[in-house]
Each structure stands twice: as C-alpha cells, then as structure tokens.
Amino acid sequence: MENFEYYNPVKVVFGDGVLPQIGAYAAAYGKKAMLVTYTECQYFSKTIDIIHKSLEKAGVTCIDYMGVTANPKLSQAKRGVELCKENGVDMLIALGGGSAIDCTKVIAAGVYYAHDMSRMLMLSHSDVTAIPPTRALPYIAIPTLAGTGSEMNPIGVITDDESGKKSYVWEPGCLYAKVAVMDPGLTTSLPSYQTACGGYDIVAHVMEAYINGNPAVNLTLHDRMHEGVIRGTLEALEQVWKAPADVQARGVLMWAAAIALNGWMTSGTFGFTPMHQMGHVLSAHYNATHGATLACMMVSWMRYFVKRPDNYKYVRFAKEIFGCELAEAADRFEKMMRDKGVQTRISQFGATEADLDILTDEVVTVSFGSDGKLNGFPKMTREDIYNCYRLAL
C-alpha cells in the first residue's frame, strides 16, 4: 500500500425520516442560515417547508438562495456570496445533488476569499496557479440524490463562466461539511433518469480508484472493497428501478455514494480520476448530466483497453463484475445503461467528430500534468484521449 493520511470530520446523520432534526444541528453552527438549492425547486417544496420549520423551532433564521443549476457556474456562487454578506449569514445549508452541494462549498469559501473567486479553481494541472481557500462558512449538506458523494468530501466542482472551463476547488482544511443529513426517503420520488445517472456516477467513482491503483502493489483488500461497492450499487439500482419507493435500496445507494468518494476507496492507492476529467469537459460543452458523461466514458475506456497489454485491471473488472471477457462486459454495461435511458454515446449530447480536437485540447489544457500526460495507470497521452472520445461517439 502507498503511504497516506486519512481525515474525514463529517458528522453523518443517516436514516429515513431524519430531516426534521436539521434545526438542532444547524443551531450549533450559527443563528442565520442561507438555504442553497436549485432555481427549479418546486420538487423540494415540502422538503424546504420541513427545513424552515425545524430551523425556526431551533431559533435559526433562514433566507433562501434558489439560484443553482445543474453543472453550476461560478457566477451563481458569486451571487450567493453577495447574499451572505448582505444578510449577515453565518452558516449555509445545501439541499440537492452534487451541483447544489458543490456550489455551496464555493460560496462558503468565497465569503472569506481575498482574491477573485476564479483563482481558487484548479484550471490547469500543468501550470498550477490556483490559490486554495483557507477559511469557509460552516455548512450542512442534505443530499437529495445518491451520486457524487459531495456531502462527505472537500471537493467543489464548478464551471468558470469566463473561460468556460469546468474544474474544481479542493481543500480539506475548510471545505468538509460539518454535518451530512442523509435521509434516503428524500430520494424515493426522484425521476428514474436522475436515479440511474447517480448510480453510474457512484460506479465511476469506485471504478476510477479500482483501475488506477498502482499495479505494482498487491491491493487485494482494495479490489474487494471496490468490487463489493460496485456490485452493491448495481444491485440496489436494479431494485429501485423495479420499486422506486424502496427506502432500504435507496439507502444503500445513498451510503454507497458517500463512501465511494469520502477517502475510504482511495486510501493507500491513488485517487486519479481521468474519466472524470473527460466527463467534465463534456458537461461544460454540452450541459450534459454528469453521470451520463461518465457512463459514456466508462464504456469507451473499457473498449479502448480491450487489446492493450496494460489492461489487467480492466480484465479483472470485467470478470469480477460481469463474469465475462472485457469486450463483452463493455457491451453488457452499455446495454444496462441504455435500458435505463442513460446516454452512452457523446453524439447523444450533440458531439460530432469535428468537436473531438476541441474536447481533447480542453482535457489537455486543464487536466494534463507537467509531463504532458493525464495521470492514471497507465498515464494517457493526447492521442489516447482523442481515441477514447472517438470510441464514445
């Protein structure tokens, strides 16, 4: 195993029906909260009412910022910062999927940030000029979709409006949530497409750790952990597909999402996420759903490695998860996704062959290291990235 440090301070409150406890937890961190959620928030009306009543009972006043979209933009975070300062907000509550929680993290950091907020984003891995935040408002995360695991990690993914680049801010020192209120009952009425995209997002997080572990190190423990979470996620996804109101299966997905990206799956191995780097570019260019972009890239990468000699982990993934050879596993995986209405080809987002150089160059600009390659095992060249996008058309 590689040397590592592990730290995760998030207090988890998990269970069906725990949402009304939010006020008691919020009162420990402030007296004036700002609830951050989506512009299209009709779906959350009852949930928001529960939150407001619980906060009022606990003596916490609240203003609402319903200004976040899927694939959030830095301008939305900046507006949130303005509202915090204008209203004397001393804590935040994020309600939604990864987009709402990630935007909340950037708002929390932006309140105290001394530079233009774009400076906190990692917009280049080869020429690092990002200035990470050192302080942030405390916030509570209430996930309503099992997918990104943002409620238990210190990463905020967001798109810079000016450059059009989608990247992230990462700072363990101040961007972890104080509390994650994880109520699987909040996810039972999610649209089936969003549920499926969230499920494949979970799989992608674990798969990235699985295939990018150092092949020179025996990581049997990690492999079995990864395989178990992936299997459990796919099984729970099938269950909620048949019975959307199954709170137990919803709970499995919600907890799988959290542990997939809270550090457990990567401690002692590597945390490179090359497929995510390619997916972020697709989201930025086509406003595509994050989990769907990852569905496209997972299948494409599996096919790209069918005939490569450095494909041991891909072959093992196919055998352990799908019980077959790699090429067949890619076909099965794609069919599984398509059957749930999830895009598996980037042409379904609007991409054409003429776009491939632009997409590839964006990955190179943002995500390639100073060695001119995309980190992972094996490291990927520009040609590799182009060919993976081409396979995904």
Side-chain angles (χ1 to χ4, degrees):
M1 290 176 64
E2 303 291 331
N3 293 353
F4 69 91
E5 293 183 7
Y6 180 77
Y7 172 71
N8 196 310
V10 181
K11 178 182 180 68
V12 174
V13 181
F14 186 99
D16 184 29
V18 299
L19 180 63
Q21 301 175 27
I22 180 69
Y25 295 107
Y29 298 102
K31 291 297 182 183
K32 188 159 190 179
M34 183 168 80
L35 177 65
V36 181
T37 191
Y38 299 111
T39 53
E40 299 293 330
C41 61
Q42 300 90 338
Y43 169 79
F44 295 132
S45 58
K46 292 183 180 178
T47 300
I48 291 172
D49 187 50
I50 292 171
I51 293 170
H52 284 165
K53 288 179 179 178
S54 182
L55 292 174
E56 182 180 3
K57 183 178 179 180
V60 178
T61 59
C62 182
I63 65 169
D64 297 332
Y65 175 43
M66 298 168 178
V68 182
T69 59
N71 297 313
K73 293 180 170 54
L74 190 59
S75 58
Q76 296 166 2
K78 288 180 177 180
R79 178 55 183 151
V81 169
E82 291 172 358
L83 288 173
C84 287
K85 292 180 177 180
E86 290 169 3
N87 292 277
V89 168
D90 56 11
M91 69 159 299
L92 302 172
I93 298 172
L95 174 69
S99 294
I101 300 174
D102 285 3
C103 192
T104 299
K105 293 176 184 180
V106 180
I107 294 171
V111 169
Y112 298 114
Y113 199 63
H115 313 278
D116 185 275
M117 288 171 61
S118 63
R119 296 297 304 277
M120 73 172 76
L121 301 183
M122 182 67 75
L123 294 175
S124 173
H125 285 215
S126 58
D127 181 20
V128 178
T129 59
I131 303 173
T134 58
R135 186 182 177 194
L137 285 177
Y139 73 94
I140 293 175
I142 308 173
T144 60
L145 184 150
T148 69
S150 188
E151 62 274 6
M152 279 196 78
N153 67 59
I155 308 164
V157 178
I158 201 161
T159 298
D160 177 32
D161 304 62
E162 292 188 10
S163 66
K165 295 177 180 178
K166 183 174 181 177
S167 193
Y168 63 90
V169 54
W170 179 83
E171 182 44 64
C174 63
L175 288 186
Y176 280 109
K178 296 300 183 182
V179 183
V181 177
M182 302 175 65
D183 188 334
L186 298 180
T187 70
T188 56
S189 57
L190 270 173
S192 56
Y193 174 77
Q194 297 298 338
T195 297
C197 285
Y200 296 128
D201 191 6
I202 299 168
V203 173
H205 289 153
V206 185
M207 185 179 177
E208 295 265 38
Y210 186 89
I211 63 177
N212 289 304
N214 189 337
V217 180
N218 184 352
L219 294 174
T220 302
L221 170 64
H222 288 73
D223 288 344
R224 293 308 184 198
M225 289 170 62
H226 296 158
E227 291 159 8
V229 173
I230 291 170
R231 283 202 201 96
T233 297
L234 293 176
E235 290 169 2
L237 186 56
E238 290 299 325
Q239 182 61 28
V240 300
W241 199 256
K242 298 173 185 175
D246 187 332
V247 175
Q248 292 299 313
R250 292 281 183 178
V252 169
L253 289 176
M254 182 169 275
W255 188 234
I259 65 175
L261 209 60
N262 71 354
W264 291 2
M265 298 289 111
T266 54
S267 294
T269 178
F270 286 90
F272 301 128
T273 58
M275 290 185 292
H276 273 70
Q277 305 309 310
M278 296 178 71
H280 288 332
V281 171
L282 296 173
S283 293
H285 275 263
Y286 306 109
N287 197 30
T289 300
H290 177 60
T293 68
L294 296 175
C296 294
M297 299 323 306
M298 283 189 286
V299 172
S300 174
W301 275 56
M302 290 169 73
R303 291 191 172 121
Y304 190 65
F305 276 84
V306 166
K307 295 183 179 179
R308 286 182 58 136
D310 47 6
N311 67 356
Y312 162 72
K313 292 306 288 283
Y314 295 85
V315 171
R316 175 168 176 154
F317 177 84
K319 178 183 177 182
E320 296 297 332
I321 303 302
F322 294 98
C324 60
E325 298 298 319
L326 182 54
E328 182 182 351
D331 291 342
R332 288 189 187 183
F333 204 12
E334 181 171 23
K335 184 178 185 305
M336 179 188 298
M337 296 167 177
R338 282 183 173 269
D339 286 348
K340 291 178 175 56
V342 176
Q343 299 94 327
T344 59
R345 301 288 174 158
I346 64 176
S347 57
Q348 293 174 280
F349 306 136
T352 67
E353 190 158 2
D355 296 334
L356 298 186
D357 276 315
I358 296 171
L359 298 175
T360 301
D361 287 342
E362 191 72 18
V363 178
V364 172
T365 299
V366 175
S367 303
F368 271 40
S370 57
D371 60 355
K373 294 181 179 179
L374 183 61
N375 264 328
F377 277 100
K379 291 191 173 186
M380 302 288 273
T381 65
R382 185 192 186 282
E383 182 181 8
D384 291 324
I385 300 308
Y386 181 93
N387 288 332
C388 281
Y389 273 141
R390 198 165 191 275
L391 275 175
L393 267 176

